[in-house]
Protein backbone atom coordinates (compact mmCIF):
# COMPACT_ATOMS: atom_id res chain seq x y z
CA UNK A 1 0.00 0.00 0.00
CA UNK A 2 1.35 3.46 -0.85
CA UNK A 3 0.24 6.89 0.19
CA UNK A 4 0.71 10.24 -1.46
CA UNK A 5 0.64 13.22 0.84
CA UNK A 6 0.09 16.71 -0.54
CA UNK A 7 0.98 19.59 1.72
CA UNK A 8 -0.53 22.96 1.12
CA UNK A 9 1.80 25.85 1.87
CA UNK A 10 -0.10 29.05 2.56
CA UNK A 11 0.96 32.67 2.83
CA UNK A 12 0.86 34.34 6.23
CA UNK A 13 2.06 37.91 6.73
CA UNK A 14 2.67 39.45 10.12
CA UNK A 15 0.79 42.62 10.93
CA UNK A 16 3.55 44.80 12.48
CA UNK A 17 1.15 46.93 14.52
CA UNK A 18 -0.62 44.11 16.33
CA UNK A 19 1.85 41.27 15.68
CA UNK A 20 -1.02 39.16 14.38
CA UNK A 21 -0.74 36.90 11.34
CA UNK A 22 -2.76 37.70 8.21
CA UNK A 23 -3.64 34.75 5.95
CA UNK A 24 -3.77 35.28 2.18
CA UNK A 25 -5.49 32.78 -0.14
CA UNK A 26 -6.98 32.64 -3.63
CA UNK A 27 -10.01 34.43 -2.20
CA UNK A 28 -7.72 37.44 -1.64
CA UNK A 29 -6.26 37.32 -5.16
CA UNK A 30 -3.44 34.74 -5.06
CA UNK A 31 -3.48 32.58 -8.21
CA UNK A 32 -2.96 29.42 -6.11
CA UNK A 33 -2.86 28.47 -2.45
CA UNK A 34 0.31 26.45 -3.09
CA UNK A 35 3.25 28.78 -2.46
CA UNK A 36 6.61 27.73 -3.93
CA UNK A 37 8.93 30.69 -3.34
CA UNK A 38 9.05 34.23 -1.96
CA UNK A 39 11.34 37.17 -2.75
CA UNK A 40 11.15 40.81 -1.66
CA UNK A 41 12.05 43.58 -4.09
CA UNK A 42 13.58 47.00 -3.37
CA UNK A 43 10.11 48.58 -3.02
CA UNK A 44 9.12 46.00 -0.35
CA UNK A 45 6.73 44.16 -2.70
CA UNK A 46 6.66 40.40 -2.17
CA UNK A 47 7.01 38.26 -5.32
CA UNK A 48 5.43 34.83 -4.91
CA UNK A 49 5.81 31.81 -7.17
CA UNK A 50 2.94 29.32 -7.02
CA UNK A 51 1.51 26.34 -8.86
CA UNK A 52 -0.49 28.78 -11.01
CA UNK A 53 1.92 31.57 -11.91
CA UNK A 54 3.70 34.40 -10.11
CA UNK A 55 2.04 37.02 -7.98
CA UNK A 56 3.25 40.41 -6.76
CA UNK A 57 1.89 41.40 -3.36
CA UNK A 58 1.87 45.04 -2.31
CA UNK A 59 1.67 44.45 1.49
CA UNK A 60 0.33 47.85 2.63
CA UNK A 61 -2.50 47.71 0.09
CA UNK A 62 -2.97 43.91 0.37
CA UNK A 63 -3.21 43.94 -3.44
CA UNK A 64 -2.08 41.12 -5.73
CA UNK A 65 -1.09 41.36 -9.39
CA UNK A 66 -0.83 37.96 -11.05
CA UNK A 67 1.33 36.91 -14.00
CA UNK A 68 0.98 33.74 -16.08
CA UNK A 69 2.66 31.84 -18.91
CA UNK A 70 0.82 34.07 -21.39
CA UNK A 71 2.66 37.04 -19.86
CA UNK A 72 6.05 35.49 -20.63
CA UNK A 73 6.69 33.11 -17.73
CA UNK A 74 8.40 29.76 -18.37
CA UNK A 75 5.07 28.15 -17.46
CA UNK A 76 2.50 28.42 -14.71
CA UNK A 77 3.85 25.76 -12.36
CA UNK A 78 6.85 26.58 -10.20
CA UNK A 79 9.04 24.38 -8.01
CA UNK A 80 9.13 24.72 -4.23
CA UNK A 81 12.17 26.55 -2.86
CA UNK A 82 13.53 27.24 -6.38
CA UNK A 83 14.00 30.96 -5.82
CA UNK A 84 17.04 33.24 -5.86
CA UNK A 85 17.62 37.00 -5.76
CA UNK A 86 21.02 38.28 -6.86
CA UNK A 87 22.82 41.33 -5.43
CA UNK A 88 21.51 43.53 -8.27
CA UNK A 89 17.92 42.66 -7.37
CA UNK A 90 17.17 40.23 -10.20
CA UNK A 91 14.72 37.52 -9.06
CA UNK A 92 14.87 33.95 -10.36
CA UNK A 93 12.02 31.44 -9.97
CA UNK A 94 12.52 27.86 -11.15
CA UNK A 95 9.63 25.95 -12.65
CA UNK A 96 8.72 22.79 -14.48
CA UNK A 97 9.67 24.29 -17.88
CA UNK A 98 12.77 26.27 -16.93
CA UNK A 99 13.61 29.47 -15.08
CA UNK A 100 11.83 32.82 -15.06
CA UNK A 101 14.18 35.71 -14.28
CA UNK A 102 13.36 39.42 -14.09
CA UNK A 103 14.19 42.76 -12.53
CA UNK A 104 11.04 43.76 -10.61
CA UNK A 105 11.46 47.43 -11.57
CA UNK A 106 11.20 46.41 -15.25
CA UNK A 107 7.75 44.85 -14.79
CA UNK A 108 5.09 47.39 -15.69
CA UNK A 109 1.42 47.18 -14.96
CA UNK A 110 -0.77 47.44 -18.00
CA UNK A 111 -4.13 48.79 -16.99
CA UNK A 112 -6.86 47.69 -19.34
CA UNK A 113 -10.04 49.62 -19.75
CA UNK A 114 -12.96 47.23 -19.75
CA UNK A 115 -16.22 47.90 -21.50
CA UNK A 116 -19.53 46.59 -20.32
CA UNK A 117 -21.84 45.71 -23.17
CA UNK A 118 -25.53 46.25 -22.58
CA UNK A 119 -27.66 43.14 -22.32
CA UNK A 120 -30.04 43.17 -25.28
CA UNK A 121 -32.06 39.95 -25.75
CA UNK A 122 -33.30 41.04 -29.21
CA UNK A 123 -29.73 41.54 -30.43
CA UNK A 124 -28.67 38.12 -29.11
CA UNK A 125 -31.68 36.41 -30.72
CA UNK A 126 -30.97 38.15 -34.03
CA UNK A 127 -27.31 37.03 -33.89
CA UNK A 128 -28.32 33.42 -33.11
CA UNK A 129 -30.81 33.43 -36.00
CA UNK A 130 -28.05 34.62 -38.36
CA UNK A 131 -25.70 31.91 -37.13
CA UNK A 132 -28.38 29.25 -37.61
CA UNK A 133 -29.21 30.60 -41.08
CA UNK A 134 -25.56 30.55 -42.16
CA UNK A 135 -25.08 27.08 -40.70
CA UNK A 136 -28.12 25.66 -42.52
CA UNK A 137 -27.17 27.21 -45.87
Amino acid sequence: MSFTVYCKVVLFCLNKDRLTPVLFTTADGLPSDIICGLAEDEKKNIWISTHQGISKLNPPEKKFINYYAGDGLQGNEFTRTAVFKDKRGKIFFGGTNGVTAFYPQDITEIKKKLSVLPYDPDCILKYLAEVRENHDA
Side-chain angles (χ1 to χ4, degrees), residues 38-124:
L38 299 168
E40 184 179 57
D41 68 19
E42 302 305 317
K43 292 183 178 179
K44 304 294 185 199
N45 294 305
I46 308 296
W47 292 84
I48 306 154
S49 63
T50 73
H51 273 199
Q52 288 296 319
I54 291 176
S55 190
K56 179 177 91 169
L57 168 63
N58 178 319
E61 294 180 18
K62 297 181 183 173
K63 178 184 168 193
F64 291 93
I65 299 174
N66 300 318
Y67 302 92
Y68 304 96
D71 297 313
L73 305 181
Q74 55 79 39
N76 285 329
E77 187 172 341
F78 288 85
T79 304
R80 289 186 183 162
T81 70
V83 57
F84 176 74
K85 181 178 153 190
D86 71 15
K87 59 185 170 187
R88 294 177 304 175
K90 191 172 193 174
I91 297 174
F92 300 78
F93 287 117
T96 56
N97 297 319
V99 175
T100 296
F102 58 94
Y103 289 102
Q105 66 271 19
D106 292 344
I107 307 298
T108 57
E109 294 178 37
I110 299 172
K111 302 198 187 248
K112 298 177 183 175
K113 185 175 179 182
L114 300 177
S115 300
V116 178
L117 299 176
Y119 173 70
D120 182 357
D122 292 332
C123 183
I124 293 171

Side-chain angles (χ1 to χ4, degrees), residues 4-8 34 80:
T4 303
V5 178
Y6 293 96
C7 295
K8 186 164 137 179
I34 300 178
R80 289 186 183 162

